[in-house]
Short mmCIF file of all heavy atoms in Angstrom, two decimals:
data_model
loop_
_atom_site.label_atom_id
_atom_site.label_comp_id
_atom_site.label_asym_id
_atom_site.label_seq_id
_atom_site.Cartn_x
_atom_site.Cartn_y
_atom_site.Cartn_z
N PRO A 1286 98.85 -43.36 163.46
CA PRO A 1286 99.93 -43.97 162.70
C PRO A 1286 101.21 -44.00 163.53
O PRO A 1286 101.60 -42.99 164.12
CB PRO A 1286 100.12 -43.06 161.48
CG PRO A 1286 98.90 -42.21 161.45
CD PRO A 1286 98.37 -42.12 162.84
N TYR A 1295 98.50 -48.31 162.09
CA TYR A 1295 97.63 -47.69 163.07
C TYR A 1295 97.74 -48.51 164.36
O TYR A 1295 97.40 -49.66 164.40
CB TYR A 1295 96.16 -47.68 162.60
CG TYR A 1295 95.88 -46.70 161.48
CD1 TYR A 1295 95.54 -47.15 160.21
CD2 TYR A 1295 95.95 -45.33 161.70
CE1 TYR A 1295 95.29 -46.25 159.19
CE2 TYR A 1295 95.71 -44.42 160.68
CZ TYR A 1295 95.38 -44.89 159.42
OH TYR A 1295 95.13 -43.99 158.42
N PHE A 1308 103.34 -39.42 157.05
CA PHE A 1308 103.33 -40.75 156.46
C PHE A 1308 102.44 -40.68 155.23
O PHE A 1308 101.59 -39.81 155.09
CB PHE A 1308 102.76 -41.77 157.45
CG PHE A 1308 101.27 -41.66 157.65
CD1 PHE A 1308 100.41 -42.59 157.07
CD2 PHE A 1308 100.72 -40.64 158.40
CE1 PHE A 1308 99.02 -42.48 157.22
CE2 PHE A 1308 99.35 -40.55 158.56
CZ PHE A 1308 98.51 -41.46 157.99
N PRO A 1314 95.50 -51.61 156.89
CA PRO A 1314 94.38 -50.63 156.97
C PRO A 1314 93.82 -50.53 158.39
O PRO A 1314 94.15 -51.36 159.24
CB PRO A 1314 93.35 -51.27 156.03
CG PRO A 1314 93.65 -52.73 156.06
CD PRO A 1314 95.13 -52.87 156.28
N VAL A 1315 93.01 -49.53 158.60
CA VAL A 1315 92.42 -49.31 159.93
C VAL A 1315 91.42 -50.44 160.29
O VAL A 1315 91.01 -50.57 161.43
CB VAL A 1315 91.77 -47.93 160.02
CG1 VAL A 1315 90.35 -47.95 159.39
CG2 VAL A 1315 91.72 -47.42 161.43
N LYS A 1316 91.05 -51.23 159.33
CA LYS A 1316 90.06 -52.30 159.61
C LYS A 1316 90.49 -53.20 160.74
O LYS A 1316 89.64 -53.79 161.41
CB LYS A 1316 89.77 -53.15 158.36
CG LYS A 1316 90.69 -54.34 158.16
CD LYS A 1316 90.26 -55.26 157.04
CE LYS A 1316 91.39 -56.31 156.84
NZ LYS A 1316 91.20 -57.17 155.70
N PHE A 1319 88.58 -52.58 163.77
CA PHE A 1319 87.14 -52.73 163.77
C PHE A 1319 86.78 -54.19 163.54
O PHE A 1319 85.76 -54.69 164.05
CB PHE A 1319 86.53 -51.84 162.67
CG PHE A 1319 86.71 -50.39 162.98
CD1 PHE A 1319 87.87 -49.70 162.61
CD2 PHE A 1319 85.73 -49.69 163.70
CE1 PHE A 1319 88.05 -48.37 162.92
CE2 PHE A 1319 85.93 -48.35 164.02
CZ PHE A 1319 87.09 -47.70 163.63
N VAL A 1349 90.51 -42.55 166.36
CA VAL A 1349 91.52 -42.89 165.38
C VAL A 1349 91.98 -41.57 164.77
O VAL A 1349 91.15 -40.79 164.27
CB VAL A 1349 90.96 -43.80 164.28
CG1 VAL A 1349 91.99 -43.98 163.17
CG2 VAL A 1349 90.57 -45.15 164.88
N PHE A 1350 93.26 -41.31 164.87
CA PHE A 1350 93.83 -40.07 164.33
C PHE A 1350 94.61 -40.38 163.06
O PHE A 1350 95.30 -41.38 162.98
CB PHE A 1350 94.75 -39.41 165.38
CG PHE A 1350 95.51 -38.25 164.85
CD1 PHE A 1350 94.89 -37.01 164.73
CD2 PHE A 1350 96.84 -38.37 164.49
CE1 PHE A 1350 95.56 -35.92 164.22
CE2 PHE A 1350 97.54 -37.29 163.99
CZ PHE A 1350 96.90 -36.06 163.86
N GLY A 1351 94.52 -39.49 162.10
CA GLY A 1351 95.34 -39.65 160.89
C GLY A 1351 94.74 -40.64 159.90
O GLY A 1351 95.46 -41.32 159.19
N LEU A 1352 93.41 -40.73 159.88
CA LEU A 1352 92.75 -41.70 159.01
C LEU A 1352 92.67 -41.15 157.58
O LEU A 1352 92.09 -40.11 157.35
CB LEU A 1352 91.36 -42.00 159.54
CG LEU A 1352 90.60 -43.12 158.89
CD1 LEU A 1352 91.34 -44.45 159.05
CD2 LEU A 1352 89.21 -43.24 159.48
N ARG A 1353 93.22 -41.91 156.64
CA ARG A 1353 93.17 -41.48 155.25
C ARG A 1353 91.76 -41.69 154.71
O ARG A 1353 91.05 -42.62 155.10
CB ARG A 1353 94.17 -42.26 154.41
CG ARG A 1353 95.64 -41.95 154.76
CD ARG A 1353 95.99 -40.53 154.45
NE ARG A 1353 97.40 -40.22 154.65
CZ ARG A 1353 97.91 -39.00 154.62
NH1 ARG A 1353 97.12 -37.95 154.42
NH2 ARG A 1353 99.20 -38.82 154.80
N PRO A 1354 91.31 -40.84 153.79
CA PRO A 1354 89.95 -40.95 153.24
C PRO A 1354 89.63 -42.34 152.67
O PRO A 1354 88.50 -42.79 152.77
CB PRO A 1354 89.92 -39.87 152.15
CG PRO A 1354 90.88 -38.84 152.63
CD PRO A 1354 91.96 -39.59 153.32
N CYS A 1355 90.61 -43.00 152.08
CA CYS A 1355 90.30 -44.32 151.54
C CYS A 1355 89.94 -45.31 152.64
O CYS A 1355 88.98 -46.07 152.52
CB CYS A 1355 91.46 -44.86 150.70
SG CYS A 1355 93.06 -44.84 151.52
N ASP A 1356 90.72 -45.30 153.71
CA ASP A 1356 90.42 -46.20 154.84
C ASP A 1356 89.09 -45.82 155.49
O ASP A 1356 88.35 -46.71 155.96
CB ASP A 1356 91.53 -46.12 155.88
CG ASP A 1356 92.59 -47.22 155.66
OD1 ASP A 1356 92.50 -47.94 154.68
OD2 ASP A 1356 93.48 -47.34 156.55
N ALA A 1357 88.80 -44.53 155.53
CA ALA A 1357 87.53 -44.09 156.13
C ALA A 1357 86.36 -44.57 155.28
O ALA A 1357 85.35 -45.03 155.77
CB ALA A 1357 87.52 -42.56 156.26
N ARG A 1358 86.52 -44.44 153.98
CA ARG A 1358 85.47 -44.95 153.07
C ARG A 1358 85.31 -46.44 153.21
O ARG A 1358 84.22 -46.99 153.13
CB ARG A 1358 85.80 -44.56 151.61
CG ARG A 1358 84.82 -45.13 150.56
CD ARG A 1358 83.37 -44.75 150.81
NE ARG A 1358 83.16 -43.31 150.79
CZ ARG A 1358 82.87 -42.62 149.69
NH1 ARG A 1358 82.74 -43.25 148.53
NH2 ARG A 1358 82.70 -41.31 149.77
N LEU A 1360 85.48 -48.14 155.82
CA LEU A 1360 84.59 -48.43 156.95
C LEU A 1360 83.13 -48.33 156.52
O LEU A 1360 82.29 -49.15 156.92
CB LEU A 1360 84.88 -47.49 158.11
CG LEU A 1360 86.23 -47.73 158.79
CD1 LEU A 1360 86.48 -46.69 159.90
CD2 LEU A 1360 86.36 -49.12 159.32
N THR A 1384 85.72 -42.30 167.34
CA THR A 1384 85.62 -41.05 166.61
C THR A 1384 86.76 -41.03 165.60
O THR A 1384 87.89 -41.35 165.93
CB THR A 1384 85.75 -39.85 167.59
OG1 THR A 1384 84.79 -40.01 168.63
CG2 THR A 1384 85.48 -38.54 166.86
N LEU A 1385 86.43 -40.66 164.37
CA LEU A 1385 87.44 -40.69 163.31
C LEU A 1385 87.95 -39.30 163.00
O LEU A 1385 87.17 -38.40 162.61
CB LEU A 1385 86.80 -41.29 162.04
CG LEU A 1385 86.17 -42.67 162.18
CD1 LEU A 1385 85.47 -43.08 160.89
CD2 LEU A 1385 87.24 -43.72 162.55
N VAL A 1386 89.25 -39.12 163.17
CA VAL A 1386 89.89 -37.85 162.81
C VAL A 1386 90.73 -38.13 161.58
O VAL A 1386 91.75 -38.82 161.65
CB VAL A 1386 90.76 -37.31 163.96
CG1 VAL A 1386 91.44 -36.01 163.53
CG2 VAL A 1386 89.90 -37.06 165.19
N GLY A 1387 90.27 -37.62 160.46
CA GLY A 1387 90.92 -37.93 159.19
C GLY A 1387 92.06 -37.00 158.85
O GLY A 1387 92.20 -35.92 159.45
N LEU A 1388 92.90 -37.43 157.92
CA LEU A 1388 93.97 -36.61 157.41
C LEU A 1388 93.92 -36.71 155.89
O LEU A 1388 94.13 -37.75 155.31
CB LEU A 1388 95.34 -37.13 157.92
CG LEU A 1388 96.56 -36.31 157.53
CD1 LEU A 1388 96.47 -34.92 158.13
CD2 LEU A 1388 97.84 -37.00 158.00
N ALA A 1389 93.55 -35.59 155.28
CA ALA A 1389 93.38 -35.60 153.82
C ALA A 1389 94.71 -35.80 153.13
O ALA A 1389 95.77 -35.42 153.64
CB ALA A 1389 92.77 -34.25 153.39
N ASP A 1411 83.43 -39.11 155.24
CA ASP A 1411 83.39 -40.37 155.98
C ASP A 1411 84.05 -40.30 157.34
O ASP A 1411 84.24 -41.33 157.97
CB ASP A 1411 84.06 -41.46 155.13
CG ASP A 1411 83.38 -41.63 153.79
OD1 ASP A 1411 82.15 -41.59 153.75
OD2 ASP A 1411 84.10 -41.81 152.77
N VAL A 1412 84.46 -39.09 157.76
CA VAL A 1412 85.11 -38.95 159.06
C VAL A 1412 84.35 -37.95 159.90
O VAL A 1412 83.47 -37.24 159.40
CB VAL A 1412 86.59 -38.52 158.92
CG1 VAL A 1412 87.41 -39.62 158.25
CG2 VAL A 1412 86.71 -37.21 158.17
N VAL A 1414 86.06 -35.58 161.94
CA VAL A 1414 86.84 -34.37 161.80
C VAL A 1414 87.85 -34.61 160.69
O VAL A 1414 88.45 -35.68 160.61
CB VAL A 1414 87.63 -34.04 163.11
CG1 VAL A 1414 88.49 -32.78 162.91
CG2 VAL A 1414 86.71 -33.87 164.28
N MET A 1415 88.00 -33.63 159.80
CA MET A 1415 89.01 -33.80 158.75
C MET A 1415 90.11 -32.75 158.91
O MET A 1415 89.83 -31.55 159.00
CB MET A 1415 88.39 -33.69 157.36
CG MET A 1415 89.40 -33.86 156.21
SD MET A 1415 90.27 -35.43 156.29
CE MET A 1415 89.32 -36.38 155.13
N LEU A 1416 91.35 -33.23 158.92
CA LEU A 1416 92.48 -32.31 158.97
C LEU A 1416 93.17 -32.32 157.61
O LEU A 1416 93.26 -33.34 156.95
CB LEU A 1416 93.51 -32.79 160.01
CG LEU A 1416 93.04 -32.94 161.44
CD1 LEU A 1416 94.18 -33.49 162.31
CD2 LEU A 1416 92.56 -31.63 162.01
#
Side-chain angles (χ1 to χ4, degrees):
Chain A
Y1295 287 113
F1308 74 104
V1315 82
K1316 87 171 173 187
F1319 294 87
V1349 173
F1350 172 78
L1352 189 61
R1353 292 295 185 190
C1355 52
D1356 266 6
R1358 174 57 60 89
L1360 291 178
T1384 307
L1385 304 174
V1386 178
L1388 184 64
D1411 301 321
V1412 294
V1414 177
M1415 180 58 98
L1416 302 177

